[in-house]
């Protein structure tokens, strides 16, 4: 479906990046630091005037890099991150090798996943087991819900509008719940269905079916894995059980409180079909198959006895633009900028189309409470008008883009005043090639998919490949949630 075929009522807008007011392209914090450094340079120059030959060029160079942009970020931040990554690589800080050590947590997941552990709990609502990921550092609990793959491209316009309104109500409910810290929705597309497809068909097969039908099903099971893709969507919600009026006293009560909070999130009417809560086996499958895509098609029995530590990689190397792990090499991109124009609700469809390589697409949310959201927009309006006013005083008139940005900020504030919510969110995409030789083709496939969205701008997660890779897994790490 192209943008021209989407009715105007199904176009969405209101995306805007936060921009603080600063001098010469600097942020507000950088401007204050620059003023302090220049004051210090002046004080030093009163005692040693020749020092200005060194301090002023250095100061100008540093803040020139801070004002310049590279890949949508500050050039100073980009080069500082690259220098830090090279330093870590020199001391093997970007390499991981799993070793058997006596320390009790020595075999945990690497990197940002090291502080999480998997708990097998019992859900009294469904009477089934459920997997809960516990963050030992913050006490947060993450519960994952498996969703049924589907779509709304063939649905009536009214049904899609209702689904969008209902999803907005879900985010509204999250904003007023102090225990919900963040959420993410991930869709993983894996080429081929393998043995898992055969198991599913065998469970549904009618032994009394005609012989011809059984032969046809056998032929489909044999040939389909070479021509299809397996779609696995899930939603992970991060909860702080201790934020309740009566904080739970032990781990069991914390798990029960987290399950109660997640059960209160109603996704009915959002156009999403809930399959069930993810069990500990489901979480092991998702995490292990991310590091080794070949394991995705294995049977459940292969994951039942797998420890949480064994779900991670045996070895991994975090590169500047790629992440090498057990079963292949992954490339992760993050959102750089959303279009400033209205876009169709189906804008992510090119990213969701199956390709030759495994791909994960993640939308990550942190819904601000109403008071915080209003305060953020008021600061944004003030900063937008200050930038326009400063440019007008220097050049005689403000840039049209600055006036348009101020109008967008005011429009967002008006929507919040009418009951809308402010959401911090980001988009992450990871594609995994089975070998280093296929990495260039996987990167090109991802670049084409991003370009086909017609407006969404993304960039490589420079120096943070392993962290973004882990953020897309249901292990409790959400970079938008303040730890």
């Amino acid at each position: 479906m192209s943008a021209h075929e989407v009715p105007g009522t199904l176009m969405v807008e209101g995306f805007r990046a936060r921009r603080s007011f600063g001098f010469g392209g600097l942020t507000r914090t950088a401007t204050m630091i620059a003023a302090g450094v220049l004051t210090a340079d002046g004080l030093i120059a009163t005692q040693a005037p020749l020092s200005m030959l060194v301090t002023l060029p250095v100061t100008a160079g540093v803040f020139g890099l801070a004002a310049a942009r590279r890949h949508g970020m500050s050039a100073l931040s980009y080069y500082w991150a690259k220098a830090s990554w090279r330093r870590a690589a020199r001391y093997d800080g970007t390499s991981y090798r799993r070793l058997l050590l006596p320390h009790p947590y020595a075999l945990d997941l690497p990197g940002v996943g090291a502080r999480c552990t998997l708990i097998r709990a019992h859900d009294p609502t469904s009477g089934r087991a459920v997997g809960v990921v516990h963050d030992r550092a913050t006490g947060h609990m993450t519960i994952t819900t498996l969703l049924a793959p589907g779509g709304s491209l063939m649905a009536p316009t009214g049904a899609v509008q209702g689904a969008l309104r209902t999803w907005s109500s879900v985010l509204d409910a999250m904003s007023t719940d102090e225990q919900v810290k963040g959420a993410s929705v991930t869709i993983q597309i894996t080429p081929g269905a393998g043995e898992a497809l055969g198991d599913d068909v065998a469970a549904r097969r009618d032994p009394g079916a005609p012989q011809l039908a059984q032969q046809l099903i056998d032929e489909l099971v044999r040939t389909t894995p070479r021509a299809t893709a397996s779609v696995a969507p899930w939603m992970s919600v991060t909860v702080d059980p201790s934020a309740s009026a009566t904080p739970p006293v032990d781990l069991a009560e914390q798990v029960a409180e987290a399950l109660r909070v997640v059960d209160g999130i109603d996704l009915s009417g959002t156009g999403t079909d809930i399959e069930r809560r993810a069990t500990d086996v489901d979480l092991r499958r998702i995490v292990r198959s991310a590091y080794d895509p070949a394991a995705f098609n294995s049977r459940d029995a292969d994951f039942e006895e797998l420890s949480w530590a064994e779900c991670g990689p045996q070895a991994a190397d975090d590169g500047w633009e790629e992440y090498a792990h057990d079963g292949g090499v992954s490339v992760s991109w993050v959102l750089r900028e959303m279009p400033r124009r209205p876009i169709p609700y189906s804008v992510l469809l090119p990213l969701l189309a199956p390709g030759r390589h495994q791909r994960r697409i993640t939308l990550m949310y942190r819904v601000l409470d109403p008071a915080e959201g209003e305060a953020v927009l008021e600061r944004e309006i003030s900063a937008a008008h200050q930038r326009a006013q400063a440019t007008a005083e220097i050049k005689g008139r403000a840039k049209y883009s600055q006036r348009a940005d101020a109008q967008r900020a005011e429009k967002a504030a008006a929507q919040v005043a009418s009951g809308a919510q402010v959401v911090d969110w980001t988009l992450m995409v990871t594609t995994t090639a089975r070998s280093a030789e296929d990495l260039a083709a996987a990167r090109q496939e991802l670049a084409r998919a991003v370009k086909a969205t017609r407006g969404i701008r993304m960039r490589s997660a420079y120096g943070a490949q392993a962290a973004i890779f882990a953020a897309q897994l249901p292990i409790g790490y959400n970079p938008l949630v303040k730890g």
Side-chain angles (χ1 to χ4, degrees), residues 48 81 202 246 390 455:
T246 56

Side-chain angles (χ1 to χ4, degrees), residues 169-430:
S169 300
V170 171
L171 295 179
D172 186 13
M174 290 183 182
S175 69
T176 56
D177 192 333
E178 295 181 354
Q179 293 180 274
V180 177
K181 297 302 179 182
S184 65
V185 178
T186 300
I187 299 179
Q188 178 172 282
I189 303 156
T190 305
E195 297 175 352
L197 176 64
D199 291 346
D200 183 65
V201 171
R204 299 167 180 262
R205 188 169 182 168
D206 185 1
Q211 186 66 25
L212 179 60
Q214 295 193 37
Q215 293 176 355
L216 180 61
I217 290 297
D218 291 339
E219 182 66 16
L220 287 174
V221 170
R222 185 179 64 83
T223 59
T224 297
R226 298 175 176 83
T228 62
S230 176
V231 180
W234 63 82
M235 178 178 180
S236 298
V237 179
T238 300
V239 177
D240 184 5
S242 62
S244 63
T246 56
V249 296
D250 57 19
L251 187 61
E253 292 185 3
Q254 292 175 8
V255 172
E257 180 68 14
L259 288 172
R260 184 195 64 78
V261 173
V262 175
D263 286 340
I265 300 177
D266 185 9
L267 296 180
S268 59
T270 61
T272 300
D273 294 328
I274 297 178
E275 186 174 330
R276 54 183 167 81
R277 297 278 182 244
T279 65
D280 56 321
V281 176
D282 295 326
L283 296 181
R284 291 189 187 100
R285 175 189 292 275
I286 292 173
V287 175
R288 182 58 197 156
S289 63
Y291 290 104
D292 186 6
F296 182 82
N297 298 323
S298 301
R299 296 179 172 89
D300 287 346
D302 297 332
F303 298 96
E304 290 178 354
E305 300 300 327
L306 203 65
S307 68
W308 186 237
E310 291 173 332
C311 296
Q314 297 283 345
D317 293 297
D318 189 9
W320 178 246
E321 292 189 60
E322 67 279 334
Y323 181 51
H325 45 86
D326 288 355
V329 186
S330 296
V331 175
S332 297
W333 286 18
V334 295
L335 180 66
R336 175 176 173 177
E337 185 181 11
M338 286 295 291
R340 300 178 184 178
R341 54 176 173 79
I343 58 176
Y345 76 101
S346 57
V347 66
L348 295 180
L349 189 60
L351 289 173
L352 301 175
R356 294 175 53 196
H357 308 280
Q358 186 186 72
R359 186 185 304 165
R360 277 187 307 281
I361 302 93
T362 299
L363 285 169
M364 194 160 285
Y365 302 91
R366 185 178 76 90
V367 186
L368 281 62
D369 65 75
E372 182 184 0
E374 183 178 358
V376 167
L377 287 177
E378 289 297 330
R379 289 196 299 268
E380 291 297 305
I381 292 174
S382 298
H385 284 290
Q386 288 172 356
R387 283 193 299 270
Q389 183 179 357
T391 303
E393 291 177 354
I394 296 174
K395 297 184 177 181
R397 67 175 182 86
K399 296 180 180 179
Y400 185 81
S401 60
Q402 293 175 332
R403 296 199 300 267
D405 184 63
Q407 292 173 359
R408 287 195 298 271
E410 291 177 350
K411 182 178 180 180
Q415 292 172 342
V416 170
S418 301
Q421 298 299 326
V422 180
V423 180
D424 275 346
W425 73 281
T426 188
L427 173 66
M428 306 173 182
V429 181
T430 295

Side-chain angles (χ1 to χ4, degrees), residues 324 327-329 433-441:
V329 186
R434 295 296 183 92
S435 63
E437 290 75 16
D438 297 332
L439 181 60

Side-chain angles (χ1 to χ4, degrees), residues 1 6-7 10-12 152-156 160 164 343-349:
M1 180 178 290
V6 177
L10 296 183
M11 305 293 281
V12 293
S152 57
L153 293 179
M154 302 298 292
V160 178
L164 293 176
I343 58 176
Y345 76 101
S346 57
V347 66
L348 295 180
L349 189 60

